[in-house]
Amino acid sequence: MAATKRIPVSEGVWAEISDLKQPGQTFDELLSAMAEQEKKRRFIEDMDRIEAEGDFVELDFGVPDTD
């Protein structure tokens, strides 16, 4: 870890985050995992929105259909 940053949080948020932490897990590891999970959730949400709203066209790559 190169630099340490401090993030002020309320007592309630501290307690909630602490409850999520696994034994032996650092807050850095927990927050990193939470950030990664949120990125994946947002990606899936974006893909679902694009699929629902999108106007798609079929692309012809000139490859014979094998079905």
Side-chain angles (χ1 to χ4, degrees):
M1 211 177 333
T4 300
K5 303 287 184 184
R6 298 194 183 276
I7 303 171
V9 296
S10 67
E11 290 285 334
V13 170
W14 177 263
E16 287 185 49
I17 292 173
S18 293
D19 287 344
L20 295 173
K21 201 165 76 66
Q22 300 293 319
Q25 184 180 34
T26 66
F27 280 101
D28 185 69
E29 293 166 340
L30 172 64
L31 293 172
S32 178
M34 291 171 72
E36 189 62 32
Q37 183 177 355
E38 179 62 14
K39 287 184 216 177
K40 289 176 183 177
R41 187 197 66 77
R42 289 181 184 185
F43 176 76
I44 291 169
E45 184 179 83
D46 286 346
M47 293 296 100
D48 288 344
R49 180 185 47 77
I50 290 168
E51 183 179 21
E53 298 173 0
D55 185 19
F56 300 97
V57 295
E58 186 173 336
L59 298 177
D60 182 12
F61 291 106
V63 177
D65 191 5
T66 58
D67 289 339

